[in-house]
């Protein structure tokens, strides 16, 4: 019986062995921080912490607030200690006059243009989804250039007055797992990036095709462009995720930058080869590592230059180049924003749980 008690006690104790990492306070952290307009949750986390992804462990929920995303400019964050552990407490700050109604926008995890553009709007589409989405047929006059107010046609029946965004497929990203990469089933998948071309409104539909009016455009609309529903910032999309630490077992590879640039830097959005079926969740923060240099030659003759000759070589340790926060996981892929970039880097770097 005593053995069973010991075993059960150990099982109950195990979660503490894999608990989320504790927040590491900066030496120069303030005792009180007043939230400013333009702050993001990541900015504020970095004011207090060396590991901003541990923000949830620092936050103390209280009667003023249900989650740290309902923080507003002017609010005061107080660093307090509870049972020997640091926590943040919020004191709301709101001045009202009888003549003025103050409307304040809560802060988000990252800049608003990233949240709305990449969380609320689709930027990736799978090969399967492409077969079901409406596409542009063209214009009755075979016109190559359209302006605002011009009319064109789509190949499906769409609801009149509904608004749609026209996209063009840009670049493809391939995920081809090997048995060594995953303990789960091997995945072979492709996803394509979407470039915004124009916004249109449905005028009428005949049951098979739809007539569209051009509301705005950034580029020439051509046949086979894809249509997706136009969503606004008031659609109920959840923009309130917090920075969190992913499981140590979860890793991914940066396949590329969504805009197609060769080098990647701060606030660029990248495509990762893991999605929500792998455990990716919005807000997870990964560290990005590039391979270390390869040194060749024997003792006393070490050199960096690559050689095609058979020679002794040593692969040096990986180099941390940035962090990345997951913005939106898809089925097999995810979009993530690059943060704290130390130097521009190329696709192919590995995303791993942060090292403490």
């Amino acid at each position: 019986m005593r053995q069973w008690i010991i075993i059960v006690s150990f099982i109950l104790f195990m979660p503490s062995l894999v608990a989320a990492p504790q927040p590491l306070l900066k030496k120069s952290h303030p005792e009180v921080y007043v939230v400013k307009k333009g702050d993001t949750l990541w900015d504020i986390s970095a004011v207090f912490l060396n590991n901003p992804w541990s923000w949830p462990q620092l936050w103390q929920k209280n009667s003023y607030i249900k989650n740290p995303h309902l923080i507003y400019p002017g609010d005061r964050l107080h660093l307090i200690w509870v049972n020997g552990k640091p926590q943040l407490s919020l004191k709301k700050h709101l001045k009202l006059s009888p003549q003025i109604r103050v409307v304040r926008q809560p802060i988000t995890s990252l800049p608003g243009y990233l949240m709305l553009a990449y969380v609320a709007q689709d930027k990736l589409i799978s090969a399967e989804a492409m077969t079901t989405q409406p596409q542009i047929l063209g214009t009755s006059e075979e016109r190559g250039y359209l302006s605002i107010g011009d009319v064109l046609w789509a190949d499906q029946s769409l609801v009149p007055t509904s608004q749609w965004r026209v996209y063009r497929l840009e670049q493809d990203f391939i995920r081809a797992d090997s048995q060594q990469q995953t303990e789960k089933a091997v995945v072979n998948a492709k996803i394509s990036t979407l470039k915004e071309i124009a916004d249109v409104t449905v005028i009428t539909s005949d049951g098979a095709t739809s007539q569209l009016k051009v509301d705005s455009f950034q580029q020439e609309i051509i046949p086979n462009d894809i249509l997706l529903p136009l969503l606004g910032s008031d659609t109920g999309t959840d923009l309130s995720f917090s920075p969190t630490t992913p499981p140590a077992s979860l890793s991914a590879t940066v396949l590329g930058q969504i805009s197609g640039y060769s080098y990647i830097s701060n606030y660029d959005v990248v495509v990762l080869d893991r999605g929500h079926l792998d455990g990716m969740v919005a807000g997870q923060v990964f560290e990005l590592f590039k391979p270390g240099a390869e040194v060749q030659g024997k003792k006393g003759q070490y050199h960096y230059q690559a050689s095609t000759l058979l020679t002794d070589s040593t692969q040096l340790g990986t180099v941390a180049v940035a962090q990345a926060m997951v913005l939106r996981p898809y089925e097999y892929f995810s979009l993530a924003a690059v943060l704290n970039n130390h130097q521009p880097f190329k696709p192919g770097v590995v995303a791993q749980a942060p090292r403490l």
Side-chain angles (χ1 to χ4, degrees), residues 119-349:
V119 179
Q121 300 286 348
D122 279 300
K123 293 296 180 180
L124 300 177
I125 190 168
S126 66
E128 295 76 18
M130 279 189 276
T131 63
T132 62
Q133 290 304 127
Q135 291 182 265
I136 297 295
L137 286 168
T139 67
S140 296
E141 302 88 354
E142 297 185 32
R143 292 175 58 187
Y145 181 83
L146 298 175
S147 57
I148 293 175
D150 285 345
V151 174
L152 66 162
W153 295 85
D155 66 355
Q156 289 185 25
S157 176
L158 305 175
V159 177
T161 74
S162 61
Q163 294 181 300
W164 295 74
R165 178 155 287 167
V166 182
Y167 293 92
R168 184 162 305 145
L169 301 180
E170 277 214 302
Q171 55 180 328
D172 298 331
F173 291 106
I174 306 295
R175 171 175 169 177
D177 296 347
S178 67
Q179 198 63 54
Q180 291 74 29
Q181 284 180 298
T182 177
E183 297 177 357
K184 302 179 182 179
V186 173
V187 173
N188 292 285
K190 183 178 83 169
I191 205 160
S192 302
T193 58
L194 294 169
K195 181 178 181 179
E196 296 178 9
I197 300 298
D199 292 341
V200 297
T201 299
V202 179
I203 301 173
T204 185
S205 173
D206 61 9
T209 60
S210 296
Q211 197 176 37
L212 315 172
K213 176 177 67 72
V214 178
D215 297 324
S216 64
F217 66 96
Q218 291 126 32
Q219 200 170 327
E220 177 188 354
I221 306 171
I222 60 176
N224 303 307
D225 282 344
I226 289 177
L227 290 161
L228 293 174
L230 178 60
L231 303 176
S233 58
D234 57 349
T235 59
T237 303
D238 184 11
L239 304 179
S240 62
F241 54 79
S242 301
T244 57
T245 308
S249 60
L250 184 57
S251 64
T253 300
V254 175
L255 298 178
Q257 204 255 23
I258 196 167
S259 298
Y261 298 128
S262 299
Y263 284 89
I264 300 167
S265 191
N266 253 4
Y267 285 138
D268 283 346
V269 175
V270 296
V271 179
L272 304 178
D273 67 347
R274 291 294 180 270
H276 68 77
L277 293 182
D278 304 289
M280 287 288 199
V281 176
Q284 287 175 336
V285 178
F286 290 84
E287 279 202 274
L288 304 182
F289 296 91
K290 71 175 184 179
E294 184 175 332
V295 176
Q296 296 182 326
K298 296 182 178 180
K299 195 173 183 68
Q301 299 178 335
Y302 297 136
H303 57 90
Y304 290 118
Q305 288 78 12
S307 173
T308 56
L309 300 176
L310 294 176
T311 180
D312 296 335
S313 64
T314 302
Q315 183 76 47
L316 302 184
T318 56
V319 179
V321 294
Q323 281 133 20
M325 184 188 294
V326 176
L327 294 175
R328 181 171 180 173
Y330 291 75
E331 195 172 24
Y332 297 115
F333 301 85
S334 295
L335 292 177
V338 174
L339 307 167
N340 293 349
N341 172 239
H342 308 309
Q343 55 182 294
F345 57 92
K346 290 185 175 182
V349 300

